[in-house]
Each structure stands twice: as structure tokens, then as C-alpha cells.
Amino acid sequence: MTDREVNILLVEDNQDDIELTLHALRRENLANKIFIVRDGEEALDFLFCTGPYAQRAPELIPRLILLDLKLPKISGLEVLQRIKADPRTQSIPVVILTSSREESDLVNGYRLGVNSYIQKPVDFDQFRDTVKKMGLYWLVINQYPISNGDKKAEVRHGERSSNS
Amino acid sequence: MRRPAEILLVDDNPADVGLVCDALARTPYGSHLNTVSDGEEAMAYLRRASPFSEAVRPSFVMLDLNLPRRDGRGVLAELKSDAGLRTIPVVVFTTSGSLRDISRSYELGANCYLTKPGNLNDFVAAVQALEAFWVRYAALPD
Amino acid sequence: MASAAPTVSGKRKLCALLVEDNLLDAELVRHSLEHEGFEVDSDVVQTEAEFRARVTATPYDVVLADYNLPQWRGVEALDILRAEDLDIPVILVTGSLGDIAAVECIKRGVTDYVLKDHLTRLPASVSRALEETRYRQERARAENALKENQERLAGILASAMDAIVTVNEQGQIVLFNEAAELVFQCPASEAMGQPLHRFIPERFQAAHEEHVRKFTAGAATRRRMGKVETLVGLRANGAEFPMEASLSRVETQTGKLFTVILRDVTEQEALRRLRQRAEETLSKKAAELTRSNRDLEQFAYIASHDLQEPLRMVASYTQLLAERYRGKLDDNADKYIGYAVEGALRMQTLIQDLLAFSRVGRNGSEPKAVNANLAVHEALQNLRSTLDESRANVVCDNLPAVAVSRSQLVQLFQNLVGNAIKFHGAEPPQTRITAEKADTAWLFSVADNGIGIAPEHHDQIFMIFQRLHARAEYPGNGVGLAICKKIVEQHGGKIWVESDLGRGSTFRFTLPDCGSNQDGLEKT
């Protein structure tokens, strides 16, 4: 699994939320190629191919990261900061999907460069609708810069020619 | 229900402005569309410089890349390196589907990147989905 | 003469053949020699036959012959020796010999003659004869060796590939070998004695003289000329030619000799120029290619943005017209607007397809070992809804890993399987993917039971925007197979189709084996 293409990296420790998210995405046929990590450290290991993911092909970059904020080991905001600070990962769209209603989380999220910030609705139907719209928006409508090795190479190619 | 969103559309093509306006008029969100037609105006608007001293801080920006005077990349770079403005989401909305433009935009801090569909219905649908996502689903700082 | 003097210690050996009918005389002869220090080993013969037999059997140092024998004259021994090619000195030892006979004998080659009553003279005569013979033989040997040497040298000169020309101190040619004859197109007989200038173009003569002058003054006796710079020679017919030359100097008793060894490098020079021109052309082409690639990139960008933008205006606003004013103008207006919309939308797809085509291979990712099974799997996933709709059945053998960029391999299979399904016949589409090893490459086949392609169209279908069917019948722009061809050819492979109308189609293509490079192989 880990050396296949991944569309969505879901960073979530709450099993209920995982199930709900998968359920909503599956109804829209968006759930294939989804990979789940359960804490901030694992998320970073996965993205940077370290620790248990040292054998993973680093050019296989997810199209979207769904990031919870309250995570074990390393917090969601710190994970976000690390992703946006590294040129290998900074262009991957990150969507914070959180139950936090803190204005400071919201502002800090955008300040650290999150691509969008979504507060999980408490109501189940609303949650499902939100995940569905979020999935369609980011995976279908949005143009993502990288998905696999070939695309990544084209990105580098493009950079060079745009600088010349 | 939140108060209506303030959208800043930066686009020099009146035909596209017309289509966006038309598409937004048919949604239930009642967003206010504010339009400027080049990069200089966009920065003036965001900084509430003359003649935009009365401008309202936008909920998000829809930014075309190829603009007269100062292009969208310049606007994006300046906006995202300004501590006061960087929390405003920027949706790049352009004709270019070039990977070069897409990746450059993300590097400069674009929140997302949508290409203008060539087909009218798809164009309207894209504008409406864009509005719905940012107004209805995403949480935005005040 | 030293050898004639008697020696006490070492006796000189002498093997002598005596031609004598008087045994007493023979004994006297021997005695006279031994007396003077010879250790004589001798045979005595009387007849011509005996003489011939003896002289050919034993290497005698000397023949001592009586002049007057009953059967023959001793002087005739000379004829026998000459006939047998034996170089043995003959001394006549005789009782009496008139002056005339003596002269005749000397003329015929007798070395000396000694009268029997003056035998004391004999040892000295023998010594002198031996000495003379030795000297003559040595000289003959030396002459032979010299001749042999000269012949060998002449052979070398004649067979040398390089022209060899020797000039004396006066600048006259004294040696001109066969290769020189060929190179300068001048027979040696004409060249000999001529000045070397004759074979150097006038404008180079001064430089050549200076060259030789320096060389003469310098200590070096060998020097390679024209090692850096090719020299120019002049043929007898006035034609010039490039040459390489080396110069050597020999001091002889008659003066200095300069030898030039030179080679006509017309062909090498022509080859060098040809190569140089080819390299120049190549680098010019490479530069052109780089420029045209850059232009293509620029074009791709323009197509993806600048061209699309106005086109989008046309499409969007004609669509808006169609929507807002349907039925409000006349029927023709609706129809015309419909055509305009359709044209604009098709143009958009064409541009997108063209872009996709131009993008093939510009992704720049290194081809690595990719498991073709995974690529097929991904291609089929992408085609899922099409496969379901047409109730298509795709069978796939176990496929190898190939050295191809992963996304391109997926696209290749996706386009071919997609095609196989699109052009299906009355039966539900059946597609079979197989692979077999062909040398260092793999031969893949994608076979279907579709409508087939007439042989005259087999090449045409791989060209961009080539379609065989009306758009209404089978949609598409004719880009898919062009992209397949581009992908396969970029990896050094070939793609072709085997098909006939109504008999299905088998698309075959070759892709490089990933060889021993298994590092990048994806795990299944």
C-alpha cells in the first residue's frame, strides 16, 4: 500500500471521525487511494519517508492532506508548519478538518499557510455533506500541482523554464 | 446564517467578470462581488489605498494570473508575505492550465487553483462551487 | 709474409692435392713443405678422373700439379675446378716450363708455378696462394653481404607505403622510391638528379629551405615534420596535395644525405574535413533542436493560456446566446449559434489534445523499472465506468517489468484498451493483453474482437488527428494512438497494428526490458 499512489492522506486519531470521513468520501467515489495515519509524528514520517516509511517512494505525494488539529505526539499546527516549511511538501494542499471552534486556531492555521480550514459540523448529515463538498472541491475542481513522480518532475522542469 | 461574503475579483477581462457576476447572482449566498482589473488596483484595494479607502476587507480573493501592469503572481507574492493580509484565502482563477503556473502559484502561497472551464455551464458550476466551498463550508477569519 | 715464415711452435696444417705421376717427386714436394713448417696432409692423383673424384670429396687448401702428365696436363685441373665451382689455388710444380707456357698458365688462372729443381720456393708460394685465396674469399663474402643488404634495402624502399626521397648536399635527388613515383606521379628516372624544389609548390619553397637549413644546423638527425601542420606537396602534373613528412640526415664519405619520408594524407584530410563538417552540422542541429524545443514549450504555454482565453469567450458567450435567446430569433439563428458553440468547444478539445500530445516525454522523469501489471491495473481503474457500460472483458497475462516512465505506461495501456472498447463490434468487447520476450525488449500485444482496421489505414491511424470514422459514429479527436506512438518511440520501441476489417485488431509494441536494474522495481 505504502508504495502506491495516494490521493488523500488522512491525519486523524479519532476512529469515529475516520469512519465517518471514509463513509462520506466513499459515497462520492473519492475514497480509493486514501491513507490513514493516526498521529502527527506518523504523518511527518509518511510525508518525509522516515521511520516506518523509510522504504516509501518519496515522489508519490498525496494530492490532499486532511489534517486534524488535536493529535497525539505532534500537534496538527506543528505538522502544518513542517509541511509548509519544506519545499518537498509545501505545495500539497492541506485542509484542516477540526472540531475546534477556537478563533486562534483558525487564524494561526491560515497564517501558517493552510489551504483551507473546515470546522467539523456536529450534526452527522451536515458532517457528511461537508466532507463530500470538501472532497469534490479539492479533488475534482481544484488543480493540484503534484501527484506522482512524473508530475513532480514536470514541476521542476516548469520552475526552471519560468526562471530563465 | 453568516453575513454575506465580500469577494474581491481581480480580472481584466470584462467578459469573464460578467460571467462570474452572472453565476453568483444565481446562488443563495448573496455574496458581494468587488472587481478590480489589474494587480496595482488589487493591492490598492487590499491596502485600502486611494481610491479604495472605503474598501471592505475581502473574505477571499479570486485572482487571475495574467493581468495588466502587475500580474497575479506579483499580487500573490506580496499578499502572502504581508502578515496582515496573508490570512485572506486566495483562489487563483485563470485560463492557464499550465503545470508551471499551477506549481508556481502554490509555491507563492495560493490557497487553491481553479482553471476557468471553456464550457459555459462548467464555468458557472465552477464559480458556484467555489463560492459555496469558501462561503458555506470553509471557516474564514474575520 | 708472416705466414710463410717457418714457425717452431705451431705447425700450419695444409691439406694438399698433388697431381703427380712420379711418387718420388711427390715425396719431395711434401718434404719441402714440411721442412718449412707445414703439417701436410696430402693425396696424390694421376688421372683426370681421380682428380675429379678427390677434389669434389675433400676441401683441399691447395692443388700442386705437375704440368706434364702422361694422360693430361696439370693445367687442365683448373678447368675442372672452375666447372665444379671450387675456389682452390693451383700451383704448377713442374720439371720445366717454357716462358710461353708459363704465361698461358697464369692467364688460365694458375696461381704460381715452381720448378722442381727450385722446390725451396714452394712453401712461400703456397703461403702466398693461401693468403690470396683467403683474402679473395673474404672479399667475396663481404661483397655478397653488401649485395644482399642492398637488395633488402631496395626491397624495402620499393615496397614502402611511404614515399622515400633522398637528396644530396647539393639538393639533388639521389633516391626516389616507387611510392614516391606514385605520390608525385613522376618516374624515378625523371626525378633522379632533379632538385627537390620540383616537388614543392613555389609559395612553400622558401619556408622549406629555411626548414632544411635549421635542420642542417641543428644537432638532431631525425625530425618529424608537419606533425602539427600538414605540409603541401606538388605532383608532376601540377596538382597539390597534403602530406605528412619526417626528415633524417646521414653523413657519408661523399657528403650529407637528407632523406624525406612522406605520406600523401589527401584521404585522411578529406575524412577529417568531412568529420569536422558533420560535427558542425550536428551541433547546429542540436542547437536548432534545443531552440525548437523551447519554442514548442512556449507554444504549449501559449496554447494552454493565450489561445484558450479568447476561445473561451467565443464558446461561453455563444452558449449564453443560445441559452438566453433560444426561440426568440428564427430557427436558422438557433442552428447557427449551435454550430458556433460546437465548433468552439471542439477547438478547445483539439487544443487540449494537442497539449497532451506535446507534453508526452517532456515530463523529464527517468524511466525506471515499472511493473506492467500495476500499470494495466491502474489503466483499467481509470477506464472503470467505460468498461462497466460496455460490459467489456479484459484479460491480462502476467506481464513483466519494463523501463518506462510509470504514468506513460498507464496512459499507453489506457489508450489502447480504451480504443479496443470504443471500436467494438456486435459482440461485447473482449480484450487480451499479453507479453513475450524479444531479445532485450518485451513485445506486448493488446488484441480485441472489435471492428478491425483495413490494412491501408494501418499507418495513418498513428498520426495525430487522423480519424477513420465520422465523429457522430465514434467520438474522439484521433490523438490517443498518436500519443501511444510517441510514448513507445520515446523509449526506443516500435508500435504497429495487425488487423483487417471485421476481424478485430491486435496492437503490438515493444518496450525495453529493465535489464539488471531491479532497484526501482515496484513491489506488487
Side-chain angles (χ1 to χ4, degrees):
Chain A
M1 177 70 198
T2 57
D3 49 5
R4 297 287 192 80
E5 208 175 319
V6 168
N7 278 348
I8 304 176
L9 179 68
L10 176 58
V11 191
E12 175 67 78
D13 65 323
N14 181 328
Q15 188 59 34
D16 289 346
D17 280 354
I18 291 174
E19 294 298 337
L20 282 177
T21 306
L22 287 178
H23 172 79
L25 290 174
R26 211 173 278 129
R27 280 164 57 113
E28 299 302 318
N29 266 332
L30 295 170
N32 58 350
K33 300 179 183 171
I34 184 162
F35 195 81
I36 300 157
V37 290
R38 290 164 205 276
D39 63 60
E41 188 179 276
E42 197 185 354
L44 292 174
D45 276 341
F46 179 91
L47 288 168
F48 296 112
C49 304
T50 52
Y53 297 98
Q55 299 302 310
R56 203 179 75 82
E59 67 271 17
L60 297 177
I61 285 171
R63 284 196 212 175
L64 176 65
I65 299 169
L66 291 180
L67 183 66
D68 192 8
L69 284 185
K70 297 194 172 48
L71 290 170
K73 298 190 187 174
I74 297 176
S75 79
L77 283 179
E78 194 180 336
V79 171
L80 174 67
Q81 188 174 20
R82 297 271 294 274
I83 291 171
K84 291 300 177 185
D86 194 301
R88 289 172 292 173
T89 49
Q90 69 171 23
S91 294
I92 307 173
V94 179
V95 174
I96 289 174
L97 197 55
T98 179
S99 13
S100 164
R101 293 292 185 267
E102 295 287 329
E103 181 70 12
S104 67
D105 281 344
L106 175 66
V107 173
N108 282 332
Y110 279 109
R111 193 166 284 150
L112 291 174
V114 77
N115 294 71
S116 75
Y117 187 104
I118 291 170
Q119 287 163 345
K120 290 177 187 169
V122 188
D123 176 82
F124 173 63
D125 279 340
Q126 280 187 23
F127 178 83
R128 195 163 62 189
D129 182 49
T130 298
V131 170
K132 167 185 154 179
K133 291 287 166 40
M134 182 276 308
L136 287 172
Y137 185 81
W138 286 99
L139 294 174
V140 179
I141 300 173
N142 182 52
Q143 300 283 321
Y144 53 93
I146 37 186
S147 72
N148 56 38
D150 292 332
K151 284 276 167 53
K152 180 127 185 249
E154 195 180 343
V155 169
R156 281 195 225 107
H157 179 74
E159 277 170 19
R160 244 202 318 277
S161 39
S162 68
N163 290 343
S164 60
Chain B
M1 196 76 192
R2 316 178 203 187
R3 58 190 163 85
E6 292 288 338
I7 303 173
L8 175 63
L9 173 64
V10 190
D11 200 321
D12 66 318
N13 184 344
D16 275 343
V17 173
L19 289 180
V20 171
C21 197
D22 209 69
L24 293 181
R26 288 187 266 165
T27 68
Y29 303 112
S31 305
H32 295 162
L33 185 68
N34 309 278
T35 309
V36 292
S37 58
D38 67 50
E40 294 293 344
E41 278 184 20
M43 287 320 299
Y45 185 98
L46 288 163
R47 297 195 193 287
R48 292 184 185 128
S50 167
F52 302 105
S53 48
E54 300 303 314
V56 187
R57 182 185 168 96
S59 313
F60 63 93
V61 178
M62 288 170 72
L63 179 68
D64 193 4
L65 286 182
N66 292 22
L67 295 170
R69 297 215 282 169
R70 177 177 207 174
D71 79 355
R73 300 159 191 86
V75 173
L76 189 55
E78 186 170 339
L79 188 153
K80 286 298 178 183
S81 52
D82 183 311
L85 298 175
R86 69 177 303 172
T87 56
I88 302 174
V90 176
V91 178
V92 173
F93 191 57
T94 179
T95 315
S96 168
S98 146
L99 202 48
R100 193 202 303 180
D101 283 336
I102 297 172
S103 48
R104 186 84 189 116
S105 298
Y106 278 106
E107 280 161 23
L108 292 174
N111 290 68
C112 63
Y113 189 110
L114 272 61
T115 47
K116 295 174 181 171
N119 183 310
L120 179 69
N121 292 333
D122 296 344
F123 187 98
V124 170
V127 172
Q128 290 175 345
L130 183 160
E131 185 201 26
F133 180 78
W134 289 101
V135 172
R136 164 84 179 77
Y137 296 99
L140 299 173
D142 287 328
Chain C
M1 210 175 270
S3 59
T7 54
V8 184
S9 54
K11 287 204 162 189
R12 287 186 294 154
K13 286 191 173 175
L14 180 71
C15 187
L17 180 62
L18 278 61
V19 184
E20 182 63 75
D21 58 344
N22 186 330
L23 288 177
L24 182 63
D25 282 353
E27 196 47 44
L28 281 173
V29 164
R30 198 156 45 221
H31 179 78
S32 73
L33 290 169
E34 284 177 344
H35 183 261
E36 286 298 325
F38 286 103
E39 185 187 329
V40 181
D41 178 8
S42 63
D43 296 306
V44 181
V45 296
Q46 293 185 8
T47 64
E48 189 182 344
E50 279 178 317
F51 177 80
R52 194 185 297 275
R54 283 288 186 182
V55 86
T56 52
T58 313
Y60 295 104
D61 297 320
V62 66
V63 172
L64 302 173
D66 194 352
Y67 183 69
N68 294 307
L69 296 172
Q71 289 88 356
W72 60 304
R73 293 191 301 156
V75 74
E76 286 166 19
L78 283 166
D79 301 331
I80 294 169
L81 288 175
R82 200 166 292 133
E84 296 292 336
D85 198 21
L86 291 167
D87 184 16
I88 303 173
V90 177
I91 297 171
L92 288 183
V93 183
T94 184
S96 64
L97 191 67
D99 284 347
I100 296 176
V103 169
E104 190 214 358
C105 289
I106 296 294
K107 271 187 181 166
R108 289 179 65 169
V110 165
T111 306
D112 201 1
Y113 70 89
V114 177
L115 296 176
K116 283 186 178 171
D117 38 6
H118 284 94
L119 275 181
T120 46
R121 249 197 72 215
L122 184 62
S125 175
V126 167
S127 289
R128 195 165 53 245
L130 290 179
E131 197 59 33
E132 277 175 13
T133 307
R134 194 173 55 81
Y135 176 73
R136 194 173 57 246
Q137 284 174 348
E138 271 176 14
R139 200 172 128 173
R141 261 200 304 277
E143 275 172 0
N144 269 339
L146 188 66
K147 205 173 139 207
E148 212 173 282
N149 248 339
Q150 278 172 338
E151 279 168 2
R152 201 181 304 144
L153 190 65
I156 291 171
L157 287 174
S159 64
M161 307 285 283
D162 292 337
I164 301 171
V165 180
T166 300
V167 288
N168 60 19
E169 225 164 335
Q170 289 73 47
Q172 292 166 314
I173 293 170
V174 293
L175 188 150
F176 202 77
N177 75 343
E178 285 177 30
E181 291 183 319
L182 280 174
V183 165
F184 293 105
Q185 292 172 4
C186 174
S189 56
E190 251 180 58
M192 296 294 268
Q194 295 283 322
L196 191 61
H197 275 166
R198 206 187 133 177
F199 300 107
I200 298 169
E202 215 178 320
R203 63 186 192 284
F204 294 114
Q205 284 176 2
H208 171 75
E209 262 168 36
E210 176 64 13
H211 203 95
V212 172
R213 198 190 56 73
K214 272 191 191 154
F215 180 64
T216 314
T221 54
R222 274 189 304 276
R223 171 134 163 220
R224 201 171 152 88
M225 300 193 294
K227 198 170 181 186
V228 185
E229 189 186 3
T230 310
L231 302 173
V232 180
L234 179 67
R235 300 194 215 277
N237 64 7
E240 294 185 5
F241 65 95
M243 62 182 196
E244 283 175 358
S246 65
L247 186 61
S248 66
R249 182 183 63 198
V250 183
E251 310 259 352
T252 67
Q253 283 171 336
T254 54
K256 289 174 184 159
L257 289 179
F258 301 96
T259 298
V260 188
I261 299 182
L262 57 93
R263 183 175 298 175
D264 181 346
V265 292
T266 304
E267 277 178 38
Q268 288 95 315
E269 191 65 10
L271 269 177
R272 196 186 58 77
R273 288 222 190 88
L274 208 64
R275 199 169 49 227
Q276 193 181 339
R277 219 169 22 242
E279 276 165 10
E280 277 165 14
T281 313
L282 203 65
S283 68
K284 215 162 76 192
K285 288 267 181 240
E288 271 170 27
L289 198 65
T290 311
R291 198 167 48 240
S292 103
N293 274 343
R294 240 196 339 262
D295 290 349
L296 193 68
E297 257 175 57
Q298 193 56 33
F299 164 76
Y301 184 76
I302 288 169
S304 74
H305 185 273
D306 300 342
L307 259 152
Q308 294 263 45
E309 176 108 10
L311 194 54
R312 205 164 43 71
M313 293 302 96
V314 176
S316 301
Y317 279 88
T318 45
Q319 281 178 293
L320 206 60
L321 270 179
E323 219 174 75
R324 299 271 166 89
Y325 298 93
R326 192 186 311 280
K328 292 181 183 160
L329 306 168
D330 63 17
D331 287 351
N332 275 343
D334 285 352
K335 200 163 70 187
Y336 298 163
I337 292 171
Y339 291 159
V341 169
E342 200 182 301
L345 294 181
R346 201 160 77 224
M347 179 93 180
Q348 284 176 339
T349 333
L350 283 173
I351 289 178
Q352 271 152 20
D353 287 345
L354 197 59
L355 270 178
F357 180 76
S358 82
R359 226 177 259 137
V360 171
R362 287 196 299 115
N363 299 358
S365 78
E366 286 293 307
K368 56 178 192 177
V370 172
N371 185 328
N373 294 306
L374 287 183
V376 169
H377 180 75
E378 203 171 321
L380 295 184
Q381 261 193 346
N382 296 342
L383 290 168
R384 182 50 56 206
S385 58
T386 319
L387 291 168
D388 291 347
E389 270 168 37
S390 56
R391 289 179 297 124
N393 181 25
V394 181
V395 186
C396 184
D397 278 9
N398 190 26
L399 301 177
V402 283
V404 178
S405 125
R406 171 203 170 95
S407 62
Q408 292 191 359
L409 192 60
V410 172
Q411 190 170 22
L412 182 56
F413 282 117
Q414 192 171 324
N415 290 3
L416 289 177
V417 173
N419 245 36
I421 292 161
K422 182 157 94 179
F423 297 101
H424 65 81
E427 302 288 308
Q430 297 275 346
T431 308
R432 183 178 179 84
I433 305 173
T434 56
E436 59 190 284
K437 190 79 193 266
D439 289 332
T440 57
W442 286 96
L443 173 64
F444 288 83
S445 303
V446 178
D448 64 51
N449 61 340
I451 58 172
I453 303 155
E456 63 265 31
H457 295 134
H458 284 187
D459 290 333
Q460 192 187 340
I461 55 169
F462 291 104
M463 289 188 255
I464 190 164
F465 297 145
Q466 287 291 325
R467 314 178 69 260
L468 299 178
H469 305 277
R471 210 172 296 278
E473 226 182 321
Y474 295 99
N477 283 329
V479 170
L481 287 177
I483 287 179
C484 289
K485 183 175 159 78
K486 206 171 164 192
I487 291 172
V488 169
E489 287 181 352
Q490 265 177 5
H491 290 88
K494 279 200 175 88
I495 185 166
W496 68 95
V497 68
E498 291 162 12
S499 176
D500 214 332
L501 275 179
R503 291 166 182 264
S505 304
T506 300
F507 283 87
R508 296 191 196 279
F509 56 94
T510 56
L511 286 175
D513 184 26
C514 51
S516 56
N517 174 24
Q518 297 285 312
D519 300 342
L521 186 62
E522 293 178 57
K523 292 154 211 112
T524 45

